[in-house]
Amino acid sequence: MKKFLFALFLIIPVLLNAQNTGTKFVVKGQAVDSLTQETLPYVTCSVVMEKNPQQVVTRFASDLDGKFTGELKAAGNYIIVISCVGQQPASRHFSVSANNTQAQLGKIGLGANKQALKEVSVVATRPLIKADADKITYDAEQDPESKSSTVLDMLRKVPMVTVDGQDNIQLKGSGNFKFFLNGKPTNMFNNNPGLILKSIPANMVKNIEVITQPGAKYDAEGIGGIINIVTIQQSSAQGYSATISGQASSRGSYGGGLNLMIQSGKFSFSGNYNYSYNKQFPVTTSTERNSYVSGAPYPYGKQVATVENPTPMQIGSGQLSYELDTANLFTFSFNRQFGRPKSTTVATTENFDGDRNKIFDYTQNSTQTQSWGSTDLGVDYQHSFKKKGETLTLSYKLSNTPNSSNYEVTNTLGQNYTHPQAGLIQWSQSDNTASSNEHTFQADYSKPTAKGQTLEFGTKYILRLNSSETDEAYKYFDFSKSYPFTPYLTRDTVSNFDNNQDILGAYASYTANIGKWGIKGGLRYEYTWLNVEFNETERNFKDEYDSWVPSATLTYRLTDMNSLKLGYNMRIQRPSIGYLNPYVDRRDPNYISYGNPNLDPENSHNITLGYSSFGAKYNISAELAYTFVNNAIEQYSFIKDGSTVQEITYDNIGHNKQLGLNVFGSYRGLSWLNLYMNGNVNYVKMNSSAYGLSNDGFTGRMFLGGTFMLPKDFRISTGGGGNLPQITLQGSQSAFYFTYMALSKEFLKKRLTVALSAVYLPESHIILTTKGVNSTTGATTFDQRTDVHLTKNTEFRLNVSYRIGSMTAQVKKTKATISNDDQKMKENSSMGQSPM
């Protein structure tokens, strides 16, 4: 195990306070890592008398497997202190007597135990960041700001991850990645992950892992990587530990949560629950559009819209384990997230002829209520063989992901017009119920073949059921009568859509660490059966296809703290229900959107070259990455001849290439100062020969921050960042920046933490441009410019947390579990959007 730190005990020689009777007294046990349960070789064991802890009775070391045996010359009450380079020390009380000459302590976990030993002063600092062959780990527990921040705040400090002022998250310069929770994929973060992570206190998180090179054991997903949130899963040997937290902001947002750990005998439980009501400032967008299609009745249009979108939501997760014996472990886990945002929109739309004479206008009032969330239930059984590291894991997982939406819109016709728009909707209502249900069965086998070498095999079967049902009703204006027009026709429609997938996968991977070299390679095979059904049976179709997905990573350790990495992987992504759903959103009659059930999976190829240097004071990482996708799923907009309706949908039309540099650096060489920076710069080239579209340019993000530790447990954190212009296939988004500052203090022996923070977005106009092209002729069909005006731009936040009890033992979990991460999910943005 790679060692970063050390803990050294210096105590004067001992004086025996008991007479040697000649009887041998023995203490036995085994040192393990409290997080991974791996054994720790050659730990140092120091035994002191309970009544005189400053004098060492004996000192000895464990063997290669962490097992230790120490002899004592006299009966009595003792304390054993176990220390190891790179681990937090642990202590145990024990007694030996004439009737009980042997004390068997069992497994003793090092690493997560942070209790202060009154008898010994320990000075050690774990590194905040650790680099492995395929991932980077950020130790959130070691960050003092975790007691007064949110998980979203912690993400700003994680290498390869950037978070902008609108809480949009990118990994390696891309919003196309996957979130895991405790090593398992979860749908909790599918809808607006920035909003959800801002609602979770960082003191519930142990570390954050960035898996930059997903290997063969992961589903053949085409994402840029995985962000794994590992929550604290520890409790006292017999008892509980809890952290209560609450937060509020000047926007009217508020929330609270509980993190609870319990252990009783062979049962261990770790769980958390959070409720939050998130209220964003109203966002006003102004949009102008020129249409160039033949026969367009209104070639120029303007719209001003104000959107409010409060979101109440609940988040919870838990893990219960039962260790039948040392060879058999059962784990039950669950994740639950539910949100019900309700947005209200007031928009005024004006239509003009080619000479900019207004001929038609209407005002739109709409409300939309969504119900999105996820429920994941998992059961894992792990059997450990006699050979260390050899395990067999059997898993089952049930996932339910509802995503329903209903809206009601009323359009009021203006009095000043030349002629009205035929077919204008006066009132409409729509209810769409969409969901995805998955049943997954999986088996994983891992076996060490030689020192530093491991072979892994696995197989998986996924039954995925996607469905959508829509009920819509409309009332149209009757323009045959004089003003004011009355609705003359009501139309009701009901449509259904089912997309079922059966996926069978198998993989093999090999990992080896030989000298300074690290090798990780694998191959995955997947076969997919697809069955799509509509109301109209003539549209039904079936398909099946297979995929071979290779991956490889090569690392070279220059020194203990410096390494080089070269990696390649090829991934695929199947479109999720958000892309496939043919449901048509008609809230604005001039701008409609819908999914495409005929989408194919997209394939991506990724090549990376990286350097990292992680130590106690300095952390530096840089990665050069090249990615290309030949059949990327892209959103595109168009207007048909003779129409003014802009349609928005998806297709496999993208041929995308991206070359990017991701850089991270931090410094904490002074006890009172911690500085860090995180950013990326990418050159993006996108084109679609099918639609005659192309775009290219530089894009990226940057964040700088620092923490200053002050006397009396005060702490100041400050930082800022910004976005370079963002590139899309049909347009771009302008740059913007933000800053923040926080003041925190600990009370009541560091159990109570209070923090006050402020986030400042300068009053700005974020410009989005879009250009439409006729797929047949290549002629421009429209150009559009949207101004997102941010006015109320300062938010003050108050965070409070209180810890009860202590944590000394870990909730155990299986080494392998189910990871369904093959779907491409729609990227979510907290940026306010115009109905246009």
Side-chain angles (χ1 to χ4, degrees):
M1 180 179 177
K2 191 175 181 179
K3 308 294 190 298
F4 287 97
L5 320 164
F6 68 91
L8 180 62
F9 295 91
L10 187 60
I11 305 177
I12 62 176
V14 306
L15 295 174
L16 297 178
N17 63 353
Q19 183 178 359
N20 183 3
T21 61
T23 304
K24 287 187 176 181
F25 301 96
V26 179
V27 57
K28 293 184 177 182
Q30 186 179 26
V32 298
D33 186 293
S34 63
L35 177 62
T36 65
Q37 294 297 299
E38 294 180 353
T39 58
L40 300 174
Y42 308 120
V43 300
T44 299
C45 305
S46 303
V47 180
V48 300
M49 294 294 298
E50 193 176 68
K51 294 182 178 180
N52 190 10
Q54 296 185 355
Q55 294 183 345
V56 176
V57 174
T58 183
R59 181 180 283 124
F60 49 89
S62 71
D63 62 13
L64 181 63
D65 291 326
K67 296 180 180 179
F68 59 81
T69 301
E71 293 186 2
L72 303 168
K73 295 181 179 180
N77 299 322
Y78 295 92
I79 301 173
I80 184 170
V81 180
I82 303 172
S83 59
C84 176
V85 175
Q87 304 291 134
Q88 293 288 332
S91 67
R92 293 291 186 273
H93 292 252
F94 69 93
S95 301
V96 289
S97 63
N99 297 326
N100 182 25
T101 60
Q102 186 176 114
Q104 179 58 257
L105 303 182
K107 292 183 179 181
I108 300 176
L110 281 72
N113 187 348
K114 293 188 174 182
Q115 62 181 2
L117 304 179
K118 295 181 180 180
E119 303 85 358
V120 183
S121 177
V122 180
V123 180
T125 304
R126 291 207 308 265
L128 272 174
I129 302 169
K130 178 183 177 182
D132 294 309
D134 59 345
K135 68 180 179 181
I136 294 173
T137 302
Y138 185 87
D139 191 343
E141 273 194 313
Q142 281 292 296
D143 191 332
E145 291 185 51
S146 65
K147 298 178 182 179
S148 58
S149 302
T150 68
V151 178
L152 188 69
D153 296 326
M154 291 293 101
L155 278 179
R156 301 185 196 276
K157 305 180 183 182
V158 178
M160 311 295 177
V161 181
T162 54
V163 183
D164 66 21
Q166 293 289 318
D167 300 335
N168 300 312
I169 305 167
Q170 286 192 346
L171 175 59
K172 297 166 59 176
S174 170
N176 190 10
F177 60 91
K178 189 76 173 180
F179 274 104
F180 277 21
L181 183 65
N182 295 320
K184 304 176 182 180
T186 174
N187 296 316
M188 287 177 61
F189 306 107
N190 288 352
N191 295 279
N192 206 329
L195 176 63
I196 296 170
L197 293 171
K198 189 165 60 176
S199 304
I200 303 176
N203 58 17
M204 295 185 180
V205 173
K206 181 173 183 60
N207 55 55
I208 300 173
E209 298 175 344
V210 177
I211 303 173
T212 56
Q213 295 288 324
K217 72 176 182 179
Y218 298 100
D219 285 331
E221 35 80 23
I223 56 182
I226 295 169
I227 298 178
N228 181 30
I229 309 292
V230 182
T231 59
I232 294 174
Q233 301 172 357
Q234 301 158 339
S235 63
S236 58
Q238 294 292 327
Y240 76 97
S241 177
T243 301
I244 304 171
S245 61
Q247 59 273 342
S249 83
S250 59
R251 289 183 178 179
S253 301
Y254 58 87
L258 171 68
N259 190 33
L260 178 65
M261 283 80 62
I262 303 174
Q263 183 163 317
S264 177
K266 294 183 178 182
F267 287 94
S268 299
F269 173 78
S270 173
N272 63 78
Y273 168 82
N274 287 275
Y275 172 84
S276 69
Y277 180 86
N278 190 278
K279 188 175 181 180
Q280 302 287 345
F281 289 135
V283 176
T284 299
T285 60
S286 301
T287 303
E288 296 184 33
R289 189 187 69 189
N290 289 288
S291 300
Y292 305 109
V293 298
S294 175
Y298 316 112
Y300 176 69
K302 297 194 302 182
Q303 184 182 81
V304 177
T306 300
V307 181
E308 296 187 48
N309 189 26
T311 304
M313 63 183 182
Q314 302 178 60
I315 307 168
S317 65
Q319 185 167 273
L320 174 68
S321 71
Y322 174 70
E323 188 178 23
L324 180 64
D325 50 44
T326 56
N328 298 281
L329 176 65
F330 295 87
T331 302
F332 170 78
S333 62
F334 68 89
N335 300 314
R336 170 64 175 164
Q337 173 232 4
F338 178 78
R340 193 173 176 81
K342 182 178 181 179
S343 65
T344 59
T345 302
V346 178
T348 299
T349 303
E350 298 176 286
N351 293 304
F352 301 80
D353 61 19
D355 297 323
R356 302 297 174 94
N357 298 310
K358 187 167 72 171
I359 56 178
F360 179 73
D361 68 272
Y362 62 92
T363 300
Q364 176 191 118
N365 288 272
S366 68
T367 60
Q368 181 182 33
T369 302
Q370 294 178 284
S371 296
W372 45 251
S374 66
T375 301
D376 301 326
L377 301 175
V379 178
D380 301 285
Y381 164 70
Q382 177 179 289
H383 176 74
S384 300
F385 297 89
K386 292 183 178 180
K387 186 175 182 179
K388 180 184 175 182
E390 184 179 5
T391 60
L392 172 66
T393 305
L394 304 177
S395 305
Y396 167 75
K397 180 181 177 183
L398 169 65
S399 296
N400 172 260
T401 309
N403 193 353
S404 300
S405 173
N406 65 80
Y407 68 78
E408 183 173 349
V409 180
T410 300
N411 295 315
T412 303
L413 188 67
Q415 297 186 37
N416 298 319
Y417 60 91
T418 301
H419 60 87
Q421 178 186 18
L424 177 66
I425 297 172
Q426 188 268 348
W427 171 89
S428 66
Q429 185 180 54
S430 174
D431 292 296
N432 175 248
T433 302
S435 66
S436 179
N437 293 283
E438 292 181 350
H439 298 272
T440 307
F441 305 86
Q442 181 172 317
D444 298 274
Y445 176 71
S446 176
K447 181 178 182 179
T449 56
K451 184 178 180 180
Q453 302 180 48
T454 302
L455 198 59
E456 294 178 293
F457 300 94
T459 185
K460 173 190 288 188
Y461 178 76
I462 304 174
L463 175 62
R464 178 175 295 143
L465 308 173
N466 299 315
S467 65
S468 170
E469 181 176 334
T470 304
D471 187 356
E472 298 174 291
Y474 310 93
K475 292 181 180 179
Y476 295 88
F477 284 108
D478 186 353
F479 295 122
S480 64
K481 301 177 181 179
S482 61
Y483 186 89
F485 303 116
T486 57
Y488 76 103
L489 173 65
T490 299
R491 184 178 71 180
D492 295 303
T493 60
V494 177
S495 59
N496 297 302
F497 165 70
D498 293 306
N499 179 291
N500 300 330
Q501 299 175 2
D502 291 76
I503 304 167
L504 178 63
Y507 74 90
S509 68
Y510 170 75
T511 304
N513 293 289
I514 304 172
K516 294 186 176 183
W517 293 92
I519 303 171
K520 187 168 187 177
L523 182 64
R524 186 178 187 90
Y525 175 77
E526 290 190 355
Y527 198 91
T528 303
W529 295 266
L530 180 66
N531 183 25
V532 180
E533 297 181 354
F534 299 87
N535 283 33
E536 307 86 357
T537 56
E538 64 274 8
R539 297 179 61 190
N540 297 349
F541 66 91
K542 296 182 179 180
D543 194 12
E544 53 187 78
Y545 54 88
D546 63 350
S547 304
W548 291 93
V549 185
S551 62
T553 304
L554 179 67
T555 60
Y556 179 74
R557 183 164 48 88
L558 300 171
T559 67
D560 288 342
M561 300 295 182
N562 299 271
S563 62
L564 293 172
K565 178 182 71 174
L566 177 64
Y568 164 79
N569 61 24
M570 174 239 170
R571 318 305 286 165
I572 66 173
Q573 275 191 312
R574 301 173 183 86
S576 66
I577 185 67
Y579 286 91
L580 298 168
N581 193 352
Y583 160 68
V584 181
D585 187 336
R586 305 179 188 272
R587 278 178 293 170
D588 192 311
N590 274 346
Y591 306 90
I592 64 174
S593 62
Y594 49 90
N596 180 1
N598 299 306
L599 291 175
D600 293 323
E602 65 178 33
N603 303 316
S604 68
H605 301 265
N606 312 279
I607 303 171
T608 58
L609 176 63
Y611 167 78
S612 62
S613 177
F614 296 139
K617 295 183 179 180
Y618 296 94
N619 297 302
I620 300 173
S621 72
E623 182 178 278
L624 188 65
Y626 176 69
T627 300
F628 65 94
V629 184
N630 289 328
N631 63 335
I633 299 173
E634 296 289 347
Q635 175 182 294
Y636 71 99
S637 304
F638 61 93
I639 298 176
K640 297 178 180 178
D641 286 347
S643 173
T644 59
V645 178
Q646 181 176 324
E647 301 184 34
I648 305 168
T649 187
Y650 308 92
D651 207 344
N652 295 94
I653 59 175
H655 298 271
N656 304 338
K657 300 177 182 179
Q658 177 174 300
L659 179 64
L661 177 64
N662 302 278
V663 181
F664 173 83
S666 69
Y667 169 78
R668 60 171 188 160
L670 301 175
S671 60
W672 55 272
L673 178 64
N674 177 20
L675 301 174
Y676 54 92
M677 64 82 65
N678 204 356
N680 60 76
V681 178
N682 303 284
Y683 176 74
V684 179
K685 186 174 183 179
M686 314 173 75
N687 70 82
S688 170
S689 56
Y691 286 82
L693 296 169
S694 64
N695 201 2
D696 68 288
F698 285 93
T699 184
R701 299 186 180 190
M702 181 63 66
F703 183 82
L704 303 173
T707 302
F708 303 88
M709 274 64 76
L710 305 176
K712 304 294 184 180
D713 291 324
F714 280 97
R715 182 179 297 109
I716 294 178
S717 303
T718 185
N723 282 21
L724 293 176
Q726 306 296 299
I727 304 298
T728 65
L729 181 61
Q730 288 184 271
S732 65
Q733 174 183 305
S734 62
F736 69 95
Y737 68 95
F738 67 96
T739 59
Y740 86 97
M741 178 173 288
L743 173 66
S744 64
K745 177 175 170 52
E746 296 175 330
F747 303 89
L748 303 177
K749 297 181 180 180
K750 298 188 177 183
R751 289 182 177 271
L752 175 65
T753 303
V754 180
L756 179 64
S757 60
V759 178
Y760 174 67
L761 284 166
E763 182 171 350
S764 58
H765 296 262
I766 302 173
I767 308 301
L768 297 90
T769 61
T770 307
K771 177 183 177 182
V773 176
N774 186 296
S775 60
T776 303
T777 64
T780 300
T781 59
F782 74 91
D783 60 65
Q784 179 173 291
R785 183 182 187 273
T786 301
D787 180 351
V788 182
H789 188 200
L790 304 177
T791 52
K792 294 183 179 180
N793 42 40
T794 301
E795 179 186 13
F796 294 96
R797 302 172 183 170
L798 176 66
N799 293 73
V800 180
S801 67
Y802 182 74
R803 178 173 55 85
I804 305 172
S806 61
M807 302 172 288
T808 59
Q810 182 190 352
V811 176
K812 295 183 178 180
K813 62 179 180 179
T814 57
K815 293 183 178 180
T817 188
I818 288 174
S819 299
N820 291 349
D821 38 39
D822 60 297
Q823 293 191 89
K824 177 166 183 171
M825 311 304 296
K826 293 175 67 174
E827 295 184 30
N828 289 282
S829 170
S830 58
M831 179 84 67
Q833 297 295 329
S834 163
M836 295 184 89

